[in-house]
Each structure stands twice: as C-alpha cells, then as structure tokens.
C-alpha cells in the first residue's frame, strides 16, 4: 500500500495582498473557473484551497512548478466536503506513484488557513 501526505499553512493576509495587487489576473492564474465559482467571494476559503494545492504537491513529492496550480482542483462534493481532482502532470504523477484515493481537510481562522492531504494507493 502507498501512503503520502502533505500539509500547508498560509497567512490569509498574504493571499489578500496578492489579490489586492494583482486582482482577477492572480486569481485566474491560481484557481480554476469552477473553484472561483464556488468560493470567489470568500478569501478565507480560497486561502484554504491555495494551501490544499500546496499540500497536494507535497504529497506528490514535488512542488508547484513541476505541476501547475490549475492541475490541482479543490472542489466541494454535494455534501459540502472538499475533494481533490487532478489534471495533467499532477494526475500523471499520482498514477505513476499508484496514488488513487485522496482525502483533504481544510480549516481556517481569521488569520490562517490550513490544509491536510492524505493519498492512498496500491
């Protein structure tokens, strides 16, 4: 059995500053249209998803750069629980490592957002 984990912590103000300086261009570079449709109005939710993308990259054993921001999507299931969807190089790396099941947990306070990602496979 394969097991991989990643965690990331982000200061929400850091993301807010980037959005303030670069606006929609920054958001469209990091998040998919579906992610923005679900969470664009809540900076703390976007910060948690940003952290989750970093955590997925860590679980894959690489960083953002080897995989693109939009190759990792963090969307909500109908139940409201977040889930990971991989595309492109991120999906290829996961398959090469035999990682087929992903779990993500998101949380935030007024100042910080955190994400924990666990991946399993054969």
């Amino acid at each position: 059995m394969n097991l991989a984990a990643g965690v990331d912590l982000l200061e929400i103000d850091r993301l807010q500053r980037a959005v303030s300086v670069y606006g929609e261009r920054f958001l469209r570079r990091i998040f998919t249209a579906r992610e923005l449709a679900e969470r664009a109005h809540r900076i703390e939710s976007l910060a948690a998803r940003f952290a989750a993308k970093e955590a997925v990259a860590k679980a894959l054993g690489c960083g953002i750069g080897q995989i693109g921001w939009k190759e990792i999507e963090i969307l909500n299931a109908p139940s409201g629980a977040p889930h990971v969807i991989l595309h492109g190089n991120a999906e290829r790396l996961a398959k090469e490592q035999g990682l087929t099941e992903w779990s993500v947990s998101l949380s935030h306070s007024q100042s910080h957002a955190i994400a924990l990602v666990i991946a399993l496979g054969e």
Side-chain angles (χ1 to χ4, degrees):
M1 173 177 272
N2 292 338
L3 171 67
V7 65
D8 195 66
L9 176 69
L10 176 70
E11 292 177 359
I12 294 171
D13 282 348
R14 179 176 164 226
L15 184 67
Q16 182 62 64
R17 285 192 304 272
V19 172
S20 295
V21 171
Y22 301 106
E24 286 294 316
R25 181 176 169 210
F26 173 80
L27 290 173
R28 287 191 310 270
R29 190 176 134 246
I30 304 297
F31 300 102
T32 67
R34 294 190 300 179
E35 288 171 316
L36 290 172
E38 283 188 4
R39 296 291 166 203
H41 62 286
R42 297 192 58 209
I43 193 71
E44 61 275 6
S45 292
L46 289 175
R49 280 154 178 75
F50 185 101
K53 289 172 183 257
E54 291 274 10
V56 167
K58 290 174 183 177
L60 288 170
C62 65
I64 298 296
Q66 285 183 276
I67 56 177
W69 290 108
K70 291 183 176 181
E71 292 179 352
I72 304 165
E73 269 189 308
I74 310 297
L75 298 174
N76 284 356
S79 67
H83 68 276
V84 175
I85 300 172
L86 301 177
H87 307 282
N89 286 332
E91 183 178 24
R92 180 186 54 77
L93 280 172
K95 284 181 181 177
E96 286 175 3
Q97 296 174 32
L99 299 172
T100 57
E101 299 293 322
W102 291 81
S103 180
V104 60
S105 181
L106 308 175
S107 189
H108 60 79
S109 66
Q110 288 183 320
S111 60
H112 290 82
I114 192 167
L116 172 66
V117 171
I118 305 292
L120 296 171
E122 296 287 329

